[in-house]
Amino acid sequence: MLVDHNPRKTSAPLPAGRSDPDALRRVDSATLLGPGGEVLIVHQQQVYRLRVTSLGKLILTK
């Protein structure tokens, strides 16, 4: 028997400014970060670095 454990299966509206997680684009971190394990992101003319730490966590720095 298949059981769906998705708690988002409700008809309640989402708060203003929030997107439905099921409708968001998903990108694998290895694809995003590439072989070097980091990527530069430009947001509102500011440059941020997203990288993988030595413990395998993601960190975003300005």
Side-chain angles (χ1 to χ4, degrees), residues 8 10 14 17-18 22 25 28 32 35-36 38 44 49 59:
R8 300 277 314 153
T10 65
L14 294 168
R18 301 297 299 248
D22 294 331
R25 185 173 63 123
D28 183 80
L32 179 66
E38 64 184 290
Q44 297 181 351
R49 180 183 310 264
I59 186 166

Side-chain angles (χ1 to χ4, degrees), residues 4 6-10 14 19-26:
D4 187 355
N6 186 348
R8 300 277 314 153
K9 298 272 182 171
T10 65
L14 294 168
S19 298
D20 180 357
D22 294 331
L24 292 176
R25 185 173 63 123
R26 294 178 70 135

Side-chain angles (χ1 to χ4, degrees), residues 25-39 50 52:
R25 185 173 63 123
R26 294 178 70 135
V27 179
D28 183 80
S29 62
T31 301
L32 179 66
L33 300 171
E38 64 184 290
V39 66
L50 179 65
V52 178

Side-chain angles (χ1 to χ4, degrees), residues 29 33 37 50-60:
S29 62
L33 300 171
L50 179 65
R51 66 180 178 87
V52 178
T53 69
S54 59
L55 297 175
K57 307 290 184 176
L58 292 177
I59 186 166
L60 180 67

